[in-house]
Amino acid sequence: MYNDKLIETMKEKIMEAFAELGFQLERMGDFGYGFSYEGTNFIYLSNDDDDFLNISVPGIYDLEDGPPSTFIELMNKINSTLKYIKAYDLEQSIWLFYERELLGDEDLPKVISRMILHLEAGLMFSRKAMAEIKSNAEDNSEDDDIVESDDKE
C-alpha cells in the first residue's frame, strides 16, 4: 500500500515537471503519455517502477523501409556510439530510449529537458547514420554493377 502511494507521488512529480516545462501530455492507454517537441513525437513511459524515468522517440525506422541489414546496422551504430540513448526493436520498428534512475532529489524539469535534448540529438545522429548506411549500400551496389559489367566483357 505504501509503495503504491510512493509510485503515485513520483509520477505526480514527473507530471508536474512536464507541465512546468509547458508540455501537454496525452494519455496513450496503459502505455504512457505522448507529447511533441520541435515536431518530434515522444512518449513518457509510465510504469510501476518509481526508480526510473523513461522517455522514448517511437518508430524512427521501420524494418520494411529497407533491407534487414540496414535495420540491424543502424541499431548497432546507435547503440555502439551514443552514450545515453539506446535503440530497441519494437514490433519491427526502431525506437530510441533514454532511461534514467531517479534518486528522489532531482530537479525533474532540468532532468526531463536534458533527456529530451539527448533524445533529439540521438534522432539527428540516427538520421545521419541512416543516410550514410544507405549511401554506402548504394556505392557498394554501383561497385557490384561495375564488376559485373567488367566480367561480361
Side-chain angles (χ1 to χ4, degrees):
M1 190 95 147
Y2 174 77
N3 196 26
D4 288 343
K5 182 61 180 164
L6 182 63
I7 290 169
E8 188 60 34
T9 301
M10 182 54 79
K11 184 177 177 183
E12 286 175 359
K13 288 180 182 178
I14 292 169
M15 298 296 279
E16 287 173 14
F18 274 108
E20 186 178 320
L21 291 167
F23 292 110
Q24 295 183 353
L25 302 180
E26 185 176 320
R27 184 83 176 138
M28 300 177 67
D30 292 335
F31 196 66
Y33 297 86
F35 64 98
S36 182
Y37 173 74
E38 300 281 324
T40 301
N41 293 320
F42 293 82
I43 299 175
Y44 156 51
L45 302 160
S46 61
N47 54 38
D48 293 337
D49 190 348
D50 64 325
D51 292 332
F52 290 91
L53 174 58
N54 296 291
I55 302 175
S56 74
V57 178
I60 67 161
Y61 187 83
D62 293 330
L63 181 60
E64 64 189 31
D65 292 342
S69 60
T70 300
F71 187 86
I72 293 167
E73 188 175 348
L74 179 59
M75 279 188 53
N76 288 339
K77 180 109 175 152
I78 293 166
N79 288 330
S80 66
T81 307
L82 300 179
K83 294 184 191 277
Y84 298 102
I85 307 302
K86 294 302 166 207
Y88 295 102
D89 174 2
L90 293 180
E91 298 181 11
Q92 300 185 336
S93 182
I94 296 176
W95 288 40
L96 297 180
F97 285 86
Y98 190 130
E99 179 178 59
R100 187 180 193 285
E101 183 177 17
L102 297 176
L103 303 174
D105 59 350
E106 291 87 359
D107 178 349
L108 286 174
K110 187 175 183 178
V111 168
I112 290 169
S113 63
R114 296 232 355 120
M115 289 175 73
I116 291 169
L117 291 176
H118 277 285
L119 281 163
E120 190 72 14
L123 181 59
M124 287 187 281
F125 172 86
S126 300
R127 288 177 177 156
K128 286 179 185 175
M130 275 187 269
E132 288 174 15
I133 291 167
K134 287 180 179 180
S135 176
N136 289 341
E138 288 172 6
D139 290 348
N140 290 339
S141 176
E142 288 174 10
D143 290 346
D144 290 345
D145 290 344
I146 292 170
V147 170
E148 284 179 27
S149 66
D150 287 347
D151 290 344
K152 290 179 183 177
E153 293 177 3

